[in-house]
Amino acid sequence: SQTIHQWPATLVQPVGSPLSLECTVEGTSNPNLYWYRQAAGRGLQLLFYSVGIGQISSEVPQNLSASRPQDRQFILSSKKLLLSDSGFYLCAWSVRLSGNTGELFFGEGSRLTVL
Amino acid sequence: AQSVAQPEDQVNVAEGNPLTVKCTYSVSGNPYLFWYVQYPNRGLQFLLKYITGDNLVKGSYGFEAEFNKSQTSFHLKKPSALVSDSALYFCASWNSGNTPLVFGKGTRLSVIA
């Protein structure tokens, strides 16, 4: 069966410090991968998605970047965090191409607090 | 462009009463529609989806949703609410290909004992 792992689960960082959140998927190949941010327990904002290694689509211009160095690994980064980067970050995956019915499978999330 | 609307920020219901969480969609072509639930500090969990066929879709934890093409709605329902159903619920739509799901803003459900 497929599983998705996100870490760290909780992170407290000072303003101006770097960020790295990691997500890996097991039990599947060639997944589509996604990063979402959720502020204050409300709606989801799609930040990045990737349909393959090195292929990243950015949905919202911001202080963050994403990379996909391996097929099942998706990393969210920042060089200098802002207070507004605080939130709950969710990684998700979906089946790619012909097997895709749109269903997303989410990780357990990473809560980032920037002080 | 496709969009999903959840008109209620908050729904309150007494335990044992039926519950409805509303969702309307705007999608060209035949929509794939989803409901997800999120408990505090957790990721989203899949509840159910409509692709084609029977308009009444049954999902996890006793939830069901009714697809209504004429009203472009996909409301989530449960005959008898439990306190443990209290959570944030998201409706979502998908068109095709490798495009991401489009989510509504979420509805917070509170079931009061």
Side-chain angles (χ1 to χ4, degrees):
Chain A
S1 63
Q2 301 90 0
T3 56
I4 178 169
H5 302 281
Q6 256 189 267
W7 70 93
T10 305
L11 196 59
V12 180
Q13 292 286 99
V15 169
S17 64
L19 170 72
S20 180
L21 300 179
E22 191 162 343
C23 172
T24 59
V25 180
E26 296 178 356
T28 188
S29 297
N30 303 315
N32 294 330
L33 295 171
Y34 308 83
W35 278 111
Y36 287 86
R37 178 169 60 198
Q38 186 177 30
R42 292 304 313 195
L44 298 171
Q45 180 185 34
L46 177 63
L47 301 176
F48 302 95
Y49 71 96
S50 171
V51 299
I53 296 174
Q55 301 179 60
I56 310 294
S57 295
S58 175
E59 292 295 301
V60 182
Q62 60 215 324
N63 188 40
L64 302 169
S65 63
S67 62
R68 184 171 178 173
Q70 300 180 42
D71 179 47
R72 292 170 293 172
Q73 184 184 30
F74 206 24
I75 298 172
L76 184 69
S77 303
S78 174
K79 292 182 179 178
K80 289 185 178 182
L81 284 168
L82 306 172
L83 287 174
S84 57
D85 292 324
S86 293
F88 192 51
Y89 289 82
L90 290 160
C91 182
W93 72 274
S94 68
V95 173
R96 194 174 168 190
L97 295 175
S98 63
N100 192 1
T101 58
E103 184 175 345
L104 286 181
F105 303 90
F106 284 84
E108 287 300 307
S110 298
R111 183 163 300 283
L112 171 66
T113 303
V114 183
L115 300 175
Chain B
Q2 58 178 323
S3 65
V4 173
Q6 293 182 244
E8 302 155 316
D9 287 344
Q10 175 91 31
V11 171
N12 298 319
V13 64
E15 187 176 29
N17 283 1
L19 70 87
T20 298
V21 183
K22 296 180 180 177
C23 172
T24 59
Y25 65 90
S26 174
V27 178
S28 59
N30 297 317
Y32 289 33
L33 298 166
F34 302 79
W35 276 102
Y36 285 82
V37 60
Q38 185 184 30
Y39 299 101
N41 296 309
R42 302 292 300 276
L44 276 68
Q45 296 178 31
F46 170 80
L47 277 180
L48 52 82
K49 67 181 175 184
Y50 171 83
I51 297 178
T52 187
D54 194 349
N55 289 342
L56 186 62
V57 180
K58 293 188 183 297
S60 306
Y61 312 121
F63 284 94
E64 58 189 28
E66 186 170 8
F67 173 68
N68 188 318
K69 189 170 184 178
S70 63
Q71 297 184 6
T72 62
S73 67
F74 189 57
H75 300 333
L76 181 70
K77 299 181 180 183
K78 188 173 182 180
S80 178
L82 300 173
V83 172
S84 57
D85 293 329
S86 299
L88 187 57
Y89 290 81
F90 290 96
C91 182
S93 70
W94 183 69
N95 220 342
S96 64
N98 286 317
T99 57
L101 283 185
V102 174
F103 284 90
K105 64 180 182 178
T107 298
R108 190 166 300 281
L109 172 68
S110 287
V111 181
I112 304 162

